[in-house]
């Protein structure tokens, strides 16, 4: 059981380049998320998708776009990378039950450096 | 004020010690609370949910104080393998939706031999 799989694990880009981070989950979860983690800042939500076909902005969406391709896959795109987007990116998924007591399961992250 | 605040530490404790972390949250309507553990350069993993009545899982005990808006995690008989960063996580949604969680910056624990 793979859980949440992210690709690539590492990437170096030049300022202005574009790229897409891929995420797939095999737990049949409805909700998926993209976070970035910077030193001393904790995890910050970029975008989330409550269910297939819907996406919503999180706390720090500027400079990013997302696509919920199907129930399994949720991709994050940087159209024109900037050094401020150097970070570790985590994808997560969860059940979407009422009550809110559903934890999130994380992929092992993508370490992205923008030069 | 941050929505979720934690003492960043580091906490350096000897093996076998008892250590406690606190976390405060700002939204009194918050519904769900969790502790996650994150090892160096790894992804966060759920350690335990926090229930209103408090709950225990082996050497780990979590408590919730809604009146004071804080959550605690107690680790008894610390092991070397407990060394990690512990993240306090709160669902601030009054609707109970799991769509957005707010993560604290984490408390770093090192258990020394």
């Amino acid at each position: 059981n793979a859980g949440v799989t992210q690709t690539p694990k590492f990437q170096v880009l030049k300022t202005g380049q574009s790229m897409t981070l891929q995420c797939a989950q095999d737990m049949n979860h409805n909700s998926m998320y993209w976070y970035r983690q910077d030193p001393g800042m904790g995890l910050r939500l970029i975008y989330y998708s409550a269910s297939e076909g819907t996406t919503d902005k999180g706390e720090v969406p500027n400079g990013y776009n997302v696509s919920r391709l199907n129930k399994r896959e949720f991709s994050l795109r940087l159209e024109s990378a900037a050094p401020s987007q150097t970070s570790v990116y985590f994808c997560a998924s969860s059940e979407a039950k009422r009550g809110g007591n559903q934890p999130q399961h994380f992929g092992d992250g993508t370490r992205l450096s923008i030069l | 004020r941050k929505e979720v605040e934690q003492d960043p530490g580091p906490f350096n404790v000897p093996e076998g010690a008892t250590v406690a972390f606190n976390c405060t949250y700002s939204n009194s309507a918050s519904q769900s609370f969790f502790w996650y553990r994150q090892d160096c350069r790894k992804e966060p993993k759920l350690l335990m949910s926090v229930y209103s009545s408090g709950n225990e899982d082996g050497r780990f005990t979590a408590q919730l104080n809604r009146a004071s808006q804080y959550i605690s995690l107690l680790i008894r008989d610390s092991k070397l393998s407990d060394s990690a960063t512990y993240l306090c996580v709160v669902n601030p949604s009054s609707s109970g939706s799991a769509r957005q969680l707010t993560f604290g910056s984490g408390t770093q624990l090192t258990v020394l031999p």
Side-chain angles (χ1 to χ4, degrees):
Chain A
N1 188 356
V4 179
T5 303
Q6 289 183 235
T7 56
K9 295 195 184 323
F10 303 93
Q11 184 71 50
V12 179
L13 294 177
K14 294 181 180 178
T15 297
Q17 287 185 313
S18 62
M19 81 161 293
T20 300
L21 280 60
Q22 306 288 351
C23 175
Q25 52 93 8
D26 61 5
M27 295 175 283
N28 203 35
H29 286 165
N30 287 313
S31 300
M32 298 185 73
Y33 313 82
W34 276 104
Y35 293 90
R36 60 178 290 174
Q37 187 174 35
D38 302 293
M41 298 290 289
L43 283 151
R44 291 183 292 168
L45 183 66
I46 304 171
Y47 271 94
Y48 67 99
S49 171
S51 60
E52 186 178 352
T54 69
T55 60
D56 286 285
K57 295 179 180 179
E59 181 185 354
V60 288
N62 291 344
Y64 306 94
N65 285 302
V66 290
S67 296
R68 183 73 183 268
L69 304 169
N70 47 54
K71 191 171 186 178
R72 289 187 66 247
E73 298 173 287
F74 188 37
S75 62
L76 178 72
R77 183 162 178 82
L78 286 70
E79 290 291 351
S80 179
S84 60
Q85 294 178 304
T86 293
S87 189
V88 180
Y89 291 85
F90 288 104
C91 177
S93 70
S94 71
E95 298 276 356
K97 293 180 181 177
R98 298 295 295 176
N101 209 22
Q102 306 305 317
Q104 294 181 7
H105 302 264
F106 286 81
D108 52 13
T110 295
R111 282 159 181 77
L112 181 62
S113 293
I114 316 295
L115 305 177
Chain B
R1 181 186 174 188
K2 288 184 179 179
E3 290 188 56
V4 178
E5 292 204 63
Q6 297 182 248
D7 181 344
F11 284 67
N12 298 317
V13 302
E15 226 176 336
T18 295
V19 61
F21 309 134
N22 287 331
C23 163
T24 58
Y25 60 95
S26 60
N27 187 339
S28 60
S30 297
Q31 295 295 317
S32 310
F33 309 90
F34 308 92
W35 283 101
Y36 278 70
R37 169 198 169 122
Q38 186 172 23
D39 294 294
C40 187
R41 300 181 68 79
K42 298 286 190 181
E43 74 276 20
K45 292 184 178 178
L46 178 68
L47 178 66
M48 60 195 302
S49 301
V50 185
Y51 301 115
S52 296
S53 55
N55 48 299
E56 189 174 305
D57 183 1
R59 297 181 293 107
F60 299 85
T61 300
Q63 297 273 349
L64 168 63
N65 185 321
R66 286 191 184 272
S68 301
Q69 293 178 217
Y70 80 79
I71 308 150
S72 64
L73 177 68
L74 181 78
I75 305 175
R76 291 182 300 278
D77 188 23
S78 300
K79 312 291 185 191
L80 296 176
S81 57
D82 294 334
S83 297
T85 296
Y86 290 84
L87 306 176
C88 174
V89 183
V90 174
N91 182 346
S93 171
S94 58
S95 70
S97 168
R99 294 172 186 176
Q100 294 194 46
L101 298 179
T102 301
F103 289 76
S105 300
T107 298
Q108 186 181 340
L109 171 66
T110 301
V111 180
L112 304 169

